[in-house]
Amino acid sequence: MSILKVAQLGHPVLRKKAEPVAPDKIGSPEIQTLIDDMIDTKNEYSGAGLAAPQVHVPLNIIVIGMEANSRYSRNGDILIEVMINPKITDFSEEMEEDWEGCLSLTDLWGVVKRSVAVTVTGFDRKGEEVEVRAEGFSARVFQHEIDHLHGKVFIDRMSDLKSLSFVREYYKYGRRQESEEYEV
Ligand code: ZN
């Protein structure tokens, strides 16, 4: 297991469309090791999620979630989930705004409007087809990570760039009080 280097905004891999993984390759040592390394990397940097392009691999793989007793526990525990070739098949009409950060945009936070619930289909790491209905915080993380697979980052989704803040100023001016805290 290894901690992988996280691509920062400006690296072309973050703007490329990622490729699907052939279902018969999901069980291969390369893909399984990549998934383990992505989980380690996400945990090392206290991320709530990570997409393969963020570790310089343009494939449709995301890991989301966090362990119990992490700093995200007030969002409710989301167990680590791996999704390969994920697709959002339903977005709730209801949307909400909240703060997001990203391991590829170090120290920047901004308000993004997202659907409060999504349905996601794809494959798990055993190659089984899965469908997940995610709500609230985990719905936001799924939308953020799947955006990475399409070469999008959260600032592309901001309707108003005025909230974009460096983390130091974000803490200093008290925005933390109204929102949760995570980087994906
Ligand atoms: Zn991100």
Side-chain angles (χ1 to χ4, degrees):
M1 299 214 187
S2 318
I3 309 296
L4 304 173
K5 192 173 175 208
V6 178
Q8 294 296 299
L9 189 66
H11 194 296
V13 73
L14 292 174
R15 292 308 198 171
K16 266 176 76 169
K17 198 166 160 33
E19 297 291 325
V21 180
D24 64 347
K25 292 279 190 310
I26 292 172
S28 69
E30 292 78 15
I31 297 294
Q32 292 295 316
T33 301
L34 172 62
I35 290 168
D36 288 336
D37 290 349
M38 284 175 65
I39 293 170
D40 283 353
T41 303
K42 184 193 73 60
N43 291 339
E44 173 71 15
Y45 297 111
S46 303
L50 190 71
Q54 290 184 276
V55 292
H56 306 86
V57 180
L59 290 175
N60 284 339
I61 303 174
I62 60 171
V63 298
I64 78 155
M66 60 286 304
E67 282 147 358
N69 76 25
S70 76
R71 66 186 172 122
Y72 305 108
S73 54
R74 62 189 157 154
N75 292 299
D77 294 336
I78 304 172
L79 296 178
I80 302 286
E81 192 139 26
V82 174
M83 191 80 101
I84 296 150
N85 302 343
K87 281 197 175 60
I88 298 178
T89 55
D90 182 68
F91 291 87
S92 67
E93 272 178 39
E94 190 190 344
M95 299 181 88
E96 68 181 359
E97 292 189 325
D98 206 347
W99 289 87
E100 290 186 24
C102 180
L103 296 177
S104 296
L105 284 80
T106 306
D107 289 346
L108 278 172
W109 292 75
V111 170
V112 186
K113 195 174 183 182
R114 304 270 192 193
S115 288
V116 299
V118 288
T119 302
V120 188
T121 61
F123 295 91
D124 66 15
R125 68 179 301 170
K126 293 179 189 150
E128 306 283 338
E129 281 186 61
V130 286
E131 182 177 87
V132 175
R133 182 72 176 170
E135 292 181 3
F137 178 62
S138 61
R140 178 170 294 274
V141 180
F142 267 113
Q143 290 169 84
H144 178 118
E145 299 311 333
I146 291 170
D147 270 355
H148 277 301
L149 305 180
H150 294 92
K152 282 193 185 302
V153 293
F154 79 84
I155 52 173
D156 304 338
R157 297 286 189 195
M158 290 176 68
S159 51
D160 185 350
L161 287 170
K162 285 199 189 79
S163 67
L164 196 63
S165 307
F166 287 107
V167 70
R168 203 175 67 139
E169 282 67 25
Y170 176 90
Y171 278 106
K172 192 171 167 187
Y173 296 104
R175 282 163 173 166
R176 177 66 64 224
Q177 294 160 11
E178 336 161 349
S179 64
E180 302 299 343
E181 167 189 350
Y182 52 91
E183 288 182 307
V184 285

CSV table of all heavy atoms in Angstrom, one decimal, residues 93-100 110-116 140 143 154 157-159:
chain,number,residue,atom,x,y,z
A,93,GLU,N,-34.6,17.0,-7.3
A,93,GLU,CA,-34.8,18.4,-7.7
A,93,GLU,C,-34.4,19.4,-6.6
A,93,GLU,O,-33.9,20.5,-6.9
A,93,GLU,CB,-36.3,18.6,-8.1
A,93,GLU,CG,-36.6,18.3,-9.5
A,93,GLU,CD,-38.1,18.5,-9.8
A,93,GLU,OE1,-38.7,19.4,-9.3
A,93,GLU,OE2,-38.6,17.6,-10.5
A,94,GLU,N,-34.6,18.9,-5.4
A,94,GLU,CA,-34.2,19.8,-4.3
A,94,GLU,C,-32.7,19.9,-4.2
A,94,GLU,O,-31.9,18.9,-4.3
A,94,GLU,CB,-34.7,19.2,-3.0
A,94,GLU,CG,-34.5,20.1,-1.8
A,94,GLU,CD,-34.8,19.4,-0.4
A,94,GLU,OE1,-35.4,18.4,-0.4
A,94,GLU,OE2,-34.4,20.0,0.6
A,95,MET,N,-32.2,21.1,-4.1
A,95,MET,CA,-30.8,21.4,-4.0
A,95,MET,C,-30.4,22.2,-2.8
A,95,MET,O,-31.3,22.7,-2.2
A,95,MET,CB,-30.3,22.2,-5.3
A,95,MET,CG,-30.6,21.4,-6.6
A,95,MET,SD,-30.1,22.3,-8.0
A,95,MET,CE,-28.4,21.8,-8.2
A,96,GLU,N,-29.2,22.1,-2.4
A,96,GLU,CA,-28.7,23.0,-1.3
A,96,GLU,C,-27.3,23.4,-1.5
A,96,GLU,O,-26.5,22.8,-2.2
A,96,GLU,CB,-28.9,22.2,0.1
A,96,GLU,CG,-27.9,21.1,0.2
A,96,GLU,CD,-28.1,20.4,1.6
A,96,GLU,OE1,-29.0,20.8,2.4
A,96,GLU,OE2,-27.4,19.4,1.8
A,97,GLU,N,-27.0,24.5,-0.8
A,97,GLU,CA,-25.7,25.1,-0.9
A,97,GLU,C,-24.9,24.7,0.3
A,97,GLU,O,-25.4,24.7,1.4
A,97,GLU,CB,-25.7,26.6,-1.0
A,97,GLU,CG,-26.3,27.1,-2.3
A,97,GLU,CD,-26.2,28.6,-2.4
A,97,GLU,OE1,-26.3,29.3,-1.4
A,97,GLU,OE2,-26.0,29.1,-3.6
A,98,ASP,N,-23.6,24.4,0.1
A,98,ASP,CA,-22.7,24.2,1.2
A,98,ASP,C,-21.3,24.4,0.7
A,98,ASP,O,-21.0,24.4,-0.5
A,98,ASP,CB,-22.9,22.8,1.8
A,98,ASP,CG,-22.5,22.7,3.3
A,98,ASP,OD1,-21.9,23.7,3.8
A,98,ASP,OD2,-22.8,21.7,3.9
A,99,TRP,N,-20.4,24.4,1.7
A,99,TRP,CA,-18.9,24.6,1.4
A,99,TRP,C,-18.3,23.3,0.9
A,99,TRP,O,-18.6,22.3,1.4
A,99,TRP,CB,-18.2,25.1,2.6
A,99,TRP,CG,-18.6,26.5,2.9
A,99,TRP,CD1,-19.7,26.9,3.7
A,99,TRP,CD2,-18.0,27.7,2.5
A,99,TRP,NE1,-19.7,28.3,3.8
A,99,TRP,CE2,-18.7,28.8,3.1
A,99,TRP,CE3,-16.9,28.0,1.7
A,99,TRP,CZ2,-18.3,30.1,2.8
A,99,TRP,CZ3,-16.5,29.3,1.5
A,99,TRP,CH2,-17.2,30.4,2.1
A,100,GLU,N,-17.4,23.5,-0.1
A,100,GLU,CA,-16.6,22.3,-0.5
A,100,GLU,C,-15.1,22.8,-0.6
A,100,GLU,O,-14.8,23.9,-0.9
A,100,GLU,CB,-17.0,21.8,-1.9
A,100,GLU,CG,-18.4,21.2,-1.9
A,100,GLU,CD,-18.8,20.5,-3.2
A,100,GLU,OE1,-17.9,20.2,-4.0
A,100,GLU,OE2,-20.0,20.4,-3.4
A,110,GLY,N,-15.2,26.9,-1.3
A,110,GLY,CA,-16.2,27.7,-1.9
A,110,GLY,C,-17.6,27.0,-1.8
A,110,GLY,O,-17.7,25.8,-1.5
A,111,VAL,N,-18.6,27.9,-1.9
A,111,VAL,CA,-20.0,27.4,-1.8
A,111,VAL,C,-20.4,26.8,-3.1
A,111,VAL,O,-20.3,27.5,-4.2
A,111,VAL,CB,-20.9,28.5,-1.3
A,111,VAL,CG1,-22.4,28.1,-1.5
A,111,VAL,CG2,-20.6,28.9,0.1
A,112,VAL,N,-21.0,25.6,-3.1
A,112,VAL,CA,-21.5,24.9,-4.3
A,112,VAL,C,-22.9,24.4,-4.1
A,112,VAL,O,-23.2,23.9,-3.0
A,112,VAL,CB,-20.6,23.7,-4.7
A,112,VAL,CG1,-21.0,23.1,-6.0
A,112,VAL,CG2,-19.1,24.1,-4.8
A,113,LYS,N,-23.7,24.7,-5.1
A,113,LYS,CA,-25.1,24.2,-5.0
A,113,LYS,C,-25.2,22.8,-5.6
A,113,LYS,O,-24.7,22.6,-6.7
A,113,LYS,CB,-26.0,25.1,-5.7
A,113,LYS,CG,-27.5,25.0,-5.5
A,113,LYS,CD,-28.2,26.1,-6.2
A,113,LYS,CE,-29.7,26.1,-5.9
A,113,LYS,NZ,-30.4,27.2,-6.6
A,114,ARG,N,-25.7,21.8,-4.9
A,114,ARG,CA,-25.8,20.4,-5.4
A,114,ARG,C,-27.2,19.9,-5.0
A,114,ARG,O,-27.8,20.3,-4.1
A,114,ARG,CB,-24.8,19.5,-4.6
A,114,ARG,CG,-23.3,20.0,-4.7
A,114,ARG,CD,-22.6,19.4,-5.9
A,114,ARG,NE,-21.2,19.5,-5.8
A,114,ARG,CZ,-20.4,19.3,-6.8
A,114,ARG,NH1,-20.8,18.9,-8.0
A,114,ARG,NH2,-19.1,19.5,-6.7
A,115,SER,N,-27.5,18.8,-5.7
A,115,SER,CA,-28.7,18.1,-5.4
A,115,SER,C,-28.6,17.4,-4.0
A,115,SER,O,-27.5,17.0,-3.7
A,115,SER,CB,-29.0,16.9,-6.4
A,115,SER,OG,-29.5,17.5,-7.6
A,116,VAL,N,-29.6,17.4,-3.2
A,116,VAL,CA,-29.5,16.8,-1.9
A,116,VAL,C,-29.5,15.3,-1.9
A,116,VAL,O,-29.1,14.7,-0.9
A,116,VAL,CB,-30.6,17.3,-0.9
A,116,VAL,CG1,-30.5,18.8,-0.8
A,116,VAL,CG2,-32.0,16.9,-1.4
A,140,ARG,N,-23.4,14.8,-1.8
A,140,ARG,CA,-22.5,15.9,-2.3
A,140,ARG,C,-21.2,15.3,-2.7
A,140,ARG,O,-20.6,15.7,-3.7
A,140,ARG,CB,-22.4,16.9,-1.1
A,140,ARG,CG,-21.4,18.1,-1.4
A,140,ARG,CD,-21.5,19.1,-0.4
A,140,ARG,NE,-22.8,19.8,-0.4
A,140,ARG,CZ,-23.2,20.8,-1.2
A,140,ARG,NH1,-22.2,21.3,-2.0
A,140,ARG,NH2,-24.4,21.3,-1.1
A,143,GLN,N,-21.3,13.5,-6.0
A,143,GLN,CA,-21.4,14.5,-7.2
A,143,GLN,C,-20.0,15.1,-7.4
A,143,GLN,O,-19.6,15.3,-8.6
A,143,GLN,CB,-22.5,15.6,-6.9
A,143,GLN,CG,-23.9,15.0,-6.9
A,143,GLN,CD,-24.9,16.0,-6.4
A,143,GLN,OE1,-25.4,16.8,-7.1
A,143,GLN,NE2,-25.3,15.8,-5.1
A,154,PHE,N,-14.7,21.6,-8.4
A,154,PHE,CA,-15.9,22.3,-7.8
A,154,PHE,C,-16.0,23.7,-8.2
A,154,PHE,O,-17.1,24.3,-8.2
A,154,PHE,CB,-15.8,22.1,-6.2
A,154,PHE,CG,-14.9,23.0,-5.5
A,154,PHE,CD1,-15.3,24.3,-5.1
A,154,PHE,CD2,-13.6,22.6,-5.1
A,154,PHE,CE1,-14.4,25.1,-4.4
A,154,PHE,CE2,-12.8,23.4,-4.4
A,154,PHE,CZ,-13.2,24.7,-4.1
A,157,ARG,N,-18.5,24.6,-10.7
A,157,ARG,CA,-19.9,24.5,-10.3
A,157,ARG,C,-20.4,25.6,-9.5
A,157,ARG,O,-21.6,25.7,-9.1
A,157,ARG,CB,-20.1,23.2,-9.5
A,157,ARG,CG,-19.9,21.9,-10.2
A,157,ARG,CD,-21.0,21.6,-11.2
A,157,ARG,NE,-20.8,20.3,-11.8
A,157,ARG,CZ,-21.5,19.9,-12.8
A,157,ARG,NH1,-22.4,20.7,-13.4
A,157,ARG,NH2,-21.4,18.7,-13.3
A,158,MET,N,-19.5,26.5,-9.1
A,158,MET,CA,-19.9,27.7,-8.3
A,158,MET,C,-20.6,28.7,-9.1
A,158,MET,O,-20.2,29.1,-10.2
A,158,MET,CB,-18.6,28.3,-7.7
A,158,MET,CG,-17.9,27.4,-6.6
A,158,MET,SD,-16.4,28.2,-6.0
A,158,MET,CE,-17.0,29.6,-5.1
A,159,SER,N,-21.8,29.1,-8.6
A,159,SER,CA,-22.6,30.0,-9.3
A,159,SER,C,-22.1,31.4,-9.0
A,159,SER,O,-22.4,32.4,-9.8
A,159,SER,CB,-24.1,29.9,-9.0
A,159,SER,OG,-24.3,29.9,-7.6
